[in-house]
Each structure stands twice: as C-alpha cells, then as structure tokens.
Amino acid sequence: MKIGVTSQNFRTITGHAGKARRFMVFEAASDNQIVLTGTLDLPMEMSIHEHPAEAAHPLDGIDALITASCGDGFAKRLAERGVRVILTSETDPMTAVTALLSGAALPAPAADDHDHGHEACGCHCSGTSPAAG
C-alpha cells in the first residue's frame, strides 16, 4: 500500500491539501516495516487546485492521502483518481501512516481552519470533513 501525506515542511502533516505542493510518500515493505519512499516538491501549477482533472498527476498510484484539512473538491478529485483521503489532527506522519496501516483510528481533524474568502477561491469548501475515515 502506498500512502501520501501532505507536508509543507517534510516533517509534519499539514492541511490545505488542494493547494499543497509538498508530499511525503510511504510504503509498507514486505517485512511490514514502513518506509519513506520519496517526497514530492511540485510547482504551483501541479497542486490539485490548479492541475487539470483529466491530466496525469504525481499523486496517481497512491492508495490513500493523509492530510490535516481539505475541501470537498479536493476529496472528490482524488476519489476520482482512486485515492482515499483521510483527515486527521495527528501531526506526525509516521504515527498516522502506522495507524492507518494497522487499522487503528486516527484522531479527528481539527476544527475547520479554512479561512480565506470562499466566494473567490474556487475550492468548493463546505466546512465539513468530507473524506474522514
């Protein structure tokens, strides 16, 4: 299983996934060890918010994406790519990935911190947690 994590600093789980450009990618090795297999540091036009929905994307091929926050549009676009989005308030990527792979529940996401002008952002925010799971 391949799991992506939004991480602007490559140390903690961060939010605003639709505009995120930095991701950590983990895989479970055959001996059940979790391995960081890579990082993505994408240009602005490769954020899901900016990227054409029909075009290939570096996140294609991951099974799940862990993030602190996202809008409905982001969750829908990743679901169309076969990616399950998991929202959490956990900040440590390895802790979150380990919990996900073991089937343990992750802490619920923090209260919505999506505070920019919704009328102009185009992010389809609803203030809900569309993809918690």
Side-chain angles (χ1 to χ4, degrees):
M1 181 175 213
K2 212 178 226 189
I3 301 169
V5 175
T6 54
S7 182
Q8 278 305 109
N9 57 17
F10 294 124
R11 290 186 307 279
T12 60
I13 298 171
T14 56
H16 293 285
K19 292 192 175 188
R21 298 176 10 224
R22 290 184 169 178
F23 302 87
M24 301 170 75
V25 181
F26 296 86
E27 283 191 66
S30 58
D31 59 359
N32 290 329
Q33 293 295 315
I34 298 166
V35 179
L36 174 65
T37 58
T39 58
L40 299 173
D41 192 355
L42 306 174
M44 187 181 315
E45 62 272 10
M46 293 298 289
S47 72
I48 293 294
H49 190 274
E50 300 293 328
H51 194 68
E54 65 281 355
H57 192 274
L59 291 176
D60 292 346
I62 65 170
D63 300 294
L65 182 97
I66 300 171
T67 188
S69 66
C70 72
D72 291 340
F74 176 84
K76 180 181 176 206
R77 285 182 70 180
L78 261 63
E80 291 167 355
R81 293 175 179 275
V83 179
R84 178 177 161 216
V85 175
I86 296 100
L87 298 172
T88 185
S89 61
E90 175 59 58
T91 59
D92 180 64
M94 187 61 80
T95 299
V97 170
T98 301
L100 178 65
L101 289 172
S102 70
L106 285 163
D112 186 24
D113 66 354
H114 211 105
D115 60 1
H116 58 265
H118 294 276
E119 63 284 346
C121 74
C123 69
H124 313 291
C125 305
S126 68
T128 62
S129 299

